[in-house]
Amino acid sequence: MIVRRKTRKIRLGDQAHGFVSIGGDAPVSVQSMTAGYTFEIDKCVAEIQKLAAAGADLVRVAVPEKKDTAALKEILPQVTVPIVADVHFHFQRALEAIDAGVHKIRLNPGNISDRAQVSDVIQACKAKKIPIRIGVNEGSIVERKDKQKRLKELGGVFSDNKHGHFLAIMVTKLEEYLDIFRAEDFHDIVISAKSIDPLLVIDAYKAISERFDYPLHLGVTHAGPRETGTIRSVAPLSHLLCSGVGDTIRISYASDPVYEVQDGLELLYVLGLRTRIGAELIACPTCGRIQVDLFKLVQDVRKQLAKEIRLPIKVAVMGCVVNGPGECEGADIAIFAGDRRGIIYVQGEKVANVPEENILDALLKECREFQAKVERGDAKLGEKKVDVIPPDPLGELGSGWEKIQKEKGLRLPVVK
Ligand code: SF4
């Protein structure tokens, strides 16, 4: 069980878009960002709603131009999830977004040159009780255009730490920014300190979590496409979350942002930081014993479960009866494949033995029926485990056992 760091709590949202709390005793939330242009209103609405349907607790949109903030007034009434406006360089965009009714502002005070302008944004947020995320991302905290200034900034702080300069700059800049907010007595704040380097992400958030009690928005910037970005993101985020650090997360991919939500939620589910919505799928990796197309079956089962199952039913898709029963322990529903067949168990009871082409339909039928039983109160999730050895695997699943027996010298289980 993960013990989370104690932080302040912020709240955002409204009746029409729902409320989300970040920090304190609130569950860790998942957010994402639209990839399209905000000014393309219909497309933006569709993308926000797709992310909301995938389970995003809040969705961020970029507002680089006035036409983007103007679009917000039309977008907001059409969406059902709180919206965060992502502001860089132009404080007016923040004021326009606040006026349009957004629920949170993401600001990097470092790229808004005039402190008075930052104060204007703070006061506007204060008046409307809108929180602000302060980002000190690695990519945007150090001066890039002015080489002299950049060198001065990089040389202005020193540390022996592996990530010395950047870590020191991130914390120093954050202190600097927070002073502005404290001066305005504004504490409706979430902090982020992202980097592309997973180890710097860990060090930066640890350092910040030790210094400030504001909730933290975790993320790795520019993590790349999902294929490689998953590991780059999940490695540091898991480390931090397991240490109790992190109150809201965004996984960033150069891929469809729906994956950011799906993977973010899955990370929180497997760490026990969120209550799972929908089925949990277990599947074996397959090996030389496999006698059905398990990879395809698993993908088909995954897609259908996501569409049809609301409850956190544990479903196991196992390639054979050798290790399957042990490996899927705790599953409510399991299928063990054999020689082009599959035996289906529901909470320890064998309910079907079907040819490969019928496995998907038969398994989903059992899942739907089990879900209905649980909802009626006639069954409980996780009540009986699938701790089964098929009574007659050779007869029911075909020659898989013969093959295994011959190759590995295995003995058939004792039939009782
Ligand atoms: S369940 Fe069977 S097929 Fe799947 S990996 Fe284990 S031993 Fe191999």
Side-chain angles (χ1 to χ4, degrees):
M1 174 114 175
I2 293 170
V3 179
R4 290 183 50 209
R5 179 182 76 109
K6 285 191 173 54
T7 70
R8 293 169 187 251
K9 187 174 179 176
I10 64 148
R11 190 167 186 255
L12 59 116
D14 55 35
Q15 289 293 346
H17 301 86
F19 292 96
V20 176
S21 292
I22 302 176
D25 58 0
V28 179
S29 52
V30 169
Q31 47 184 295
S32 181
M33 188 169 180
T34 54
Y37 297 116
T38 305
F39 65 82
E40 292 184 345
I41 294 170
D42 292 346
K43 284 186 191 167
C44 186
V45 167
E47 200 179 2
I48 291 169
Q49 289 304 86
K50 204 167 85 165
L51 293 170
D57 297 299
L58 50 162
V59 175
R60 185 157 43 115
V61 298
V63 287
E65 297 184 46
K66 196 162 184 171
K67 60 184 174 185
D68 297 304
T69 46
L72 286 173
K73 283 199 173 165
E74 290 189 54
I75 291 168
L76 279 157
Q78 299 183 63
V79 299
T80 53
V81 66
I83 298 298
V84 186
D86 191 75
V87 178
H88 282 276
F89 305 112
H90 305 291
F91 84 110
Q92 297 96 328
R93 297 294 93 77
L95 298 178
E96 290 155 12
I98 294 162
D99 184 50
V102 293
H103 306 98
K104 188 177 162 204
I105 295 287
R106 187 265 159 144
L107 203 67
N108 179 353
N111 62 29
I112 294 179
S113 51
D114 188 340
R115 287 289 145 87
Q117 295 175 344
V118 177
S119 294
D120 284 353
V121 177
I122 294 171
Q123 287 308 321
C125 284
K126 204 174 190 180
K128 287 210 173 181
K129 294 190 168 44
I130 295 173
I132 299 176
R133 168 159 72 94
I134 306 171
V136 284
N137 295 2
E138 180 193 1
S140 58
I141 48 165
V142 180
E143 172 63 38
R144 303 251 157 217
K145 288 183 199 153
D146 185 334
K147 209 171 171 186
Q148 289 307 318
K149 200 171 167 195
R150 176 178 166 78
L151 283 173
K152 200 175 160 208
E153 285 198 334
L154 283 170
V157 278
F158 181 77
S159 163
D160 290 336
N161 186 291
K162 190 177 167 197
H163 309 289
H165 284 66
F166 272 119
L167 180 64
I169 290 173
M170 282 165 119
V171 175
T172 309
K173 287 271 175 182
L174 187 58
E175 284 275 12
E176 217 178 90
Y177 300 159
L178 283 173
D179 282 346
I180 309 171
F181 288 79
R182 286 182 188 130
E184 305 279 346
D185 195 23
F186 186 91
H187 300 283
D188 234 0
I189 291 167
V190 179
I191 296 171
S192 65
K194 301 184 185 182
S195 163
I196 193 175
D197 176 350
L199 297 178
L200 179 54
V201 168
I202 291 173
D203 285 348
Y205 278 102
K206 271 190 182 167
I208 287 165
S209 70
E210 284 160 11
R211 287 169 171 79
F212 312 107
D213 65 352
Y214 296 112
L216 299 182
H217 166 125
L218 303 187
V220 173
T221 48
H222 315 114
R226 188 189 194 190
E227 291 79 359
T228 51
T230 311
I231 302 296
R232 185 177 284 275
S233 297
V234 166
L237 264 54
S238 302
H239 180 97
L240 289 163
L241 290 166
C242 287
S243 317
V245 173
D247 305 285
T248 181
I249 62 171
R250 182 204 174 187
I251 291 183
S252 316
Y253 292 145
S255 306
D256 186 338
V258 165
Y259 294 131
E260 300 181 358
V261 180
Q262 290 174 349
D263 293 354
L265 280 170
E266 191 60 33
L267 174 60
L268 298 179
Y269 291 153
V270 299
L271 295 180
L273 287 166
R274 284 282 286 260
T275 306
R276 185 179 286 277
I277 296 169
E280 178 175 0
L281 179 61
I282 302 165
C284 86
T286 80
C287 69
R289 297 179 185 90
I290 197 74
Q291 291 188 304
V292 298
D293 185 353
L294 201 85
F295 287 174
K296 179 175 184 313
L297 178 63
V298 168
Q299 287 304 329
D300 291 345
V301 169
R302 183 183 66 79
K303 283 179 201 150
Q304 286 309 118
L305 288 177
K307 282 186 198 158
E308 299 186 37
I309 302 301
R310 303 172 292 277
L311 302 182
I313 299 171
K314 211 179 245 190
V315 180
V317 179
M318 312 307 288
C320 76
V321 290
V322 176
N323 291 332
E327 288 168 356
C328 76
E329 202 180 308
D332 297 295
I333 298 177
I335 173 262
F336 304 101
D339 187 10
R340 303 289 161 201
R341 298 193 72 78
I343 297 184
I344 300 172
Y345 279 78
V346 177
Q347 291 207 325
E349 191 187 329
K350 188 178 77 182
V351 295
N353 178 348
V354 294
E356 183 176 6
E357 60 273 23
N358 296 342
I359 291 175
L360 177 65
D361 288 346
L363 183 69
L364 289 169
K365 175 179 159 286
E366 296 304 332
C367 290
R368 283 191 295 267
E369 286 178 9
F370 182 68
Q371 174 169 260
K373 252 171 111 175
V374 173
E375 286 178 335
R376 284 198 308 271
D378 294 341
K380 273 191 193 155
L381 294 174
E383 193 176 41
K384 293 177 207 152
K385 292 177 176 179
V386 183
D387 52 352
V388 291
I389 299 283
D392 183 7
L394 185 58
E396 292 196 81
L397 286 171
S399 61
W401 269 97
E402 285 175 307
K403 189 179 159 195
I404 295 158
Q405 208 180 7
K406 206 157 74 187
E407 286 173 5
K408 308 282 181 192
L410 294 173
R411 291 170 56 201
L412 289 174
V414 178
V415 178
K416 291 186 181 166

